[in-house]
Amino acid sequence: MQPGFDDVAGLVRRRAGIVLTEDKAYLLETRLGPVLTRFGLASLAALGAKLRSLPGEALERAVVEALTTHESSFFRDGKPFEHLRGALPKLLAARGAGERVRIWSAACSTGQEAYSVAMLAAETLGAAAQRIEILATDISADVVGRAKEGCFSQFEVQRGLPIRALMTHFTQEGTRWRIKPALRAMVRFEERNLLAETAALGRFDVIFCRNVLIYFDPPTKTRVLEMMARQLAPDGVLYLGAAETVIGLTERLAPIPGERGVYGLAARKAAA
């Protein structure tokens, strides 16, 4: 066992719900090197010792952020967005004239998912897109900061973003591309841990929580799914990653027939 592994694994599980197995031990050296340098620690063993004694909030946060995966791309796995394109007008029509459709991009990383939703809403709903409210959250303060900036490299915009959308919603700044203010204004970014209390966020009509549960153990998956079920509108939809499911984890959510990775409240399915 690599010295310090248990201490680091215990920390990320406690603070972020991430299960770090021994076969992922190689990540410690590749990802924690800058953390060791920043805090003047000579080795992973020294880091482990520090975590066992008086680590401090800054060190714990730095370790968790370094070991959290922040893979993202625009319109990643297009199926959920295809479904959302049809669902948004129906959700909007079912709401009162003064009501908004609220969308939550959980574990939003650097913002591509949330901005993809904003682009889809703008293109699908036209002027009615002003009734769409998008909240995007992530455990990492660093990636939330980058997401708020809304500035992406050429490589990032080439991953899944149609050229028409790039020309419509971005302006070029040298070798980078920045989200235009109108689209940026549709999204609010916040630093938030999915394992913390989320009731204050209110109810959502759409929740994206994709490729997050795969890092959790079953009890933590259940905890997160049931939290989202409590905050999902009766006719709302939850999008999970292609490799994720609610089956065997909660009875409060059920797959929407004929769709992959799309879920609704179980009571809704029974009523249908």
Side-chain angles (χ1 to χ4, degrees):
M1 177 74 67
Q2 190 171 10
F5 177 86
D6 285 343
D7 303 294
V8 172
L11 171 66
V12 296
R13 185 166 187 163
R14 172 170 55 85
R15 291 196 57 146
I18 298 170
V19 177
L20 189 64
T21 53
E22 291 185 36
D23 62 310
K24 295 294 195 310
Y26 68 93
L27 288 174
L28 300 192
E29 292 187 10
T30 56
R31 295 192 181 182
L32 291 178
V35 176
L36 298 181
T37 301
R38 174 182 167 189
F39 289 89
L41 297 167
S43 64
L44 292 173
L47 172 60
K50 184 69 172 175
L51 292 175
R52 289 194 303 274
S53 56
L54 296 172
E57 174 65 19
L59 176 59
E60 288 196 350
R61 179 186 291 266
V63 170
V64 171
E65 291 200 5
L67 293 174
T68 303
T69 300
H70 298 298
E71 173 67 16
S72 188
S73 61
F74 290 99
F75 296 98
R76 184 179 182 184
D77 182 12
K79 286 290 185 182
F81 295 99
E82 291 175 16
H83 184 271
L84 183 64
R85 188 179 299 276
L88 273 184
K90 297 175 185 176
L91 288 168
L92 204 60
R95 304 298 180 265
E99 288 186 273
R100 289 174 173 265
V101 168
R102 302 190 71 230
I103 301 174
W104 181 13
S105 171
C108 67
S109 187
T110 43
Q112 287 94 323
E113 179 177 83
Y115 288 129
S116 295
V117 171
M119 282 184 264
L120 185 149
E123 294 168 2
T124 303
L125 302 174
Q130 64 184 345
R131 291 177 56 197
I132 302 298
E133 178 184 325
I134 304 169
L135 172 67
T137 66
D138 199 277
I139 192 174
S140 169
D142 178 58
V143 300
V144 167
R146 290 167 57 194
K148 285 180 179 179
E149 188 180 1
C151 196
F152 300 91
S153 68
Q154 185 70 39
F155 173 74
E156 287 171 321
V157 298
Q158 285 176 335
R159 297 185 66 199
L161 187 65
I163 187 65
R164 180 175 59 82
L166 178 64
M167 295 296 101
T168 302
H169 300 292
F170 291 75
T171 55
Q172 189 169 12
E173 298 181 354
T175 60
R176 300 182 67 80
W177 295 84
R178 186 178 297 277
I179 291 280
K180 290 183 177 179
L183 199 77
R184 171 65 189 83
M186 292 179 65
V187 187
R188 186 173 89 255
F189 291 97
E190 290 184 8
E191 179 188 348
R192 189 170 289 271
N193 189 335
L194 288 180
L195 302 189
E197 180 56 52
T198 59
L201 296 179
R203 176 170 283 186
F204 293 93
D205 304 292
V206 177
I207 299 176
F208 279 80
C209 186
R210 301 187 301 154
N211 307 303
V212 179
L213 299 181
I214 54 175
Y215 299 106
F216 297 161
D217 60 17
T220 305
K221 290 178 183 179
T222 295
R223 176 180 169 185
V224 171
L225 286 170
E226 296 202 345
M227 170 271 290
M228 291 188 167
R230 289 192 297 271
Q231 294 184 237
L232 190 64
D235 59 346
V237 290
L238 167 67
Y239 297 106
L240 298 181
E244 298 168 326
T245 183
V246 304
I247 298 172
L249 296 169
T250 178
E251 295 182 355
R252 301 189 62 169
L253 294 159
I256 292 181
E259 300 292 342
R260 177 171 58 86
V262 187
Y263 299 84
L265 293 180
R268 166 184 170 184
K269 180 181 178 182

